[in-house]
Amino acid sequence: MSLADGVRGDLKLTGLHKRYPNGFVAVQSLDLVIPQGSFFALLGPSGCGKTTTLRMVAGLEDVTKGSIHIGDQEITHAKPYKRPVNTVFQNYALFPHLTIAENVSFGPKRRGIKDPKDSVKEILALTELTEQASKKPTQLSGGQQQRVALARALINRPDVLLLDEPLGALDLKLRRAMQVELKRIQEEVGLTFVHVTHDQEEAMTMADTVAVMNEGRIEQLGAPYELYTNPHTTFVANFLGRTNLIKGTVVGREGSGADEVVKVDMYGTVASIKASRVHTDAKEGWIGIRPEKVLIQPEGTSIDAPGASLPGAVVTDVSYIGVSTDYTIRMPWGQEITCFEQNTGRRGGLIPVGTKVDVSWRPEFAFLLDSAQDAEAGIVEED
Ligand SMILES: Nc1ncnc2c1ncn2[C@@H]1O[C@H](COP(=O)(O)OP(=O)(O)OP(=O)(O)O)[C@@H](O)[C@H]1O
Ligand SMILES: [Mg+2]
């Protein structure tokens, strides 16, 4: 089924700015093109302006400056009900006295469609609610209620569906299941989905493109793989998973084009970082390396990596997770870094605390960030 027939095009936000009446600027001159038919995630910590952005697109909040277009149609100041946009919120208020089918047909009926039976049937099948059609909302599980909210929005055939933390009320297991569900539905209907979340795993698993938002601005935008492996700021590096940041000084450049590398001195060892992964012009930088890219071996045994290995580190903490082990390693200069190691069984056991180890990584995985940025930016408190 395609609900995407007659859809007008990409969602374009140009210089979109929101200053609330109390003077607080929640969204700062946002420029964003969300391709038609894509699954786009707006990811960021609480208070960064995600909901404000969605509410402006939906017409529920005035725009201070800038414009909103869908294809060639400008909707910046259009009334909410005149926009080809629907929203699914976290607290999906279903009508408790109506059946599921009646909840879903409510929108079309209000728009004067007398008998939307066929499209209701179609949408209920799509959202796997056919069996629930004559039940009342209180007789459904959380995940089913969430699907009703989705069905109610989809039946209006919006060009753009806005989802504001739609899975926030569900427990983790159901949340994971609904992520897969939502993704399937989006692929089936082919509409543009803009999904707001502060859960990085959710954004990464579902979206084609993720925009990482911080204090009203987009810090970086890209495919999940690109964002995770080549973050441009300490905020993005820390917000998407964990990262080690080690102080380094740029000492030279070698090669050209795609082969160009920047040489960075790290407490006496020189590391090579691909120029495309260098995100600062300054002499000082943070060398970033993800914990699962860090390789360790007891002192003197060989490491399976082509780069230089750093001697003189010691294991200070071992945390066995089952599938993997988290090692904390104290480097010779006193800094502690983290290494995640898959438990393939190759090692035949764990490396005990106190063991002297050599540390290395494949140079192509490192990145270099601006040392003026806070090394702790974007670190998410574990709950
Ligand atoms: N009506 C308002 N007046 C003034 N400030 C507001 C108003 N509504 C929201 N804000 C502020 O704007 C900022 C962005 O709010 P918004 O609701 O867009 O954040 P969010 O990214 O959706 O956060 P969350 O993940 O917690 O939902 C916050 O600091 C919030 O306090
Ligand atoms: Mg919000």
Side-chain angles (χ1 to χ4, degrees), residues 9-14 30-36 38 40 69 192 209 211 221:
D10 301 345
L11 172 62
K12 274 195 275 303
L13 313 182
T14 313
L30 211 65
D31 288 311
L32 206 55
V33 177
I34 300 178
Q36 180 185 325
S38 66
F40 190 93
H69 287 78
T192 310
T209 307
L221 176 154

Side-chain angles (χ1 to χ4, degrees), residues 12-71:
K12 274 195 275 303
L13 313 182
T14 313
L16 196 64
H17 198 81
K18 178 65 188 185
R19 175 193 291 270
Y20 279 112
N22 68 355
F24 184 79
V25 177
V27 175
Q28 316 222 24
S29 308
L30 211 65
D31 288 311
L32 206 55
V33 177
I34 300 178
Q36 180 185 325
S38 66
F39 199 129
F40 190 93
L42 207 49
L43 170 70
S46 184
C48 73
K50 305 180 297 291
T51 295
T52 304
T53 304
L54 279 202
R55 287 176 59 84
M56 287 194 282
V57 175
L60 302 171
E61 199 66 71
D62 288 339
V63 170
T64 311
K65 262 190 302 193
S67 65
I68 306 170
H69 287 78
I70 294 181

Side-chain angles (χ1 to χ4, degrees), residues 292-349:
E292 73 280 10
K293 302 296 193 307
V294 174
L295 305 168
I296 56 171
Q297 268 302 95
E299 195 176 35
T301 51
S302 78
I303 299 191
D304 175 29
S309 71
L310 299 155
V314 63
V315 174
T316 54
D317 190 55
V318 180
S319 174
Y320 175 71
I321 315 288
V323 63
S324 61
T325 304
D326 290 12
Y327 290 99
T328 305
I329 314 290
R330 194 172 60 239
M331 300 306 285
W333 54 89
Q335 181 183 3
E336 289 196 317
I337 68 165
T338 308
C339 158
F340 298 160
E341 190 173 88
Q342 286 298 310
N343 289 328
T344 59
R346 180 180 60 93
R347 221 180 255 303

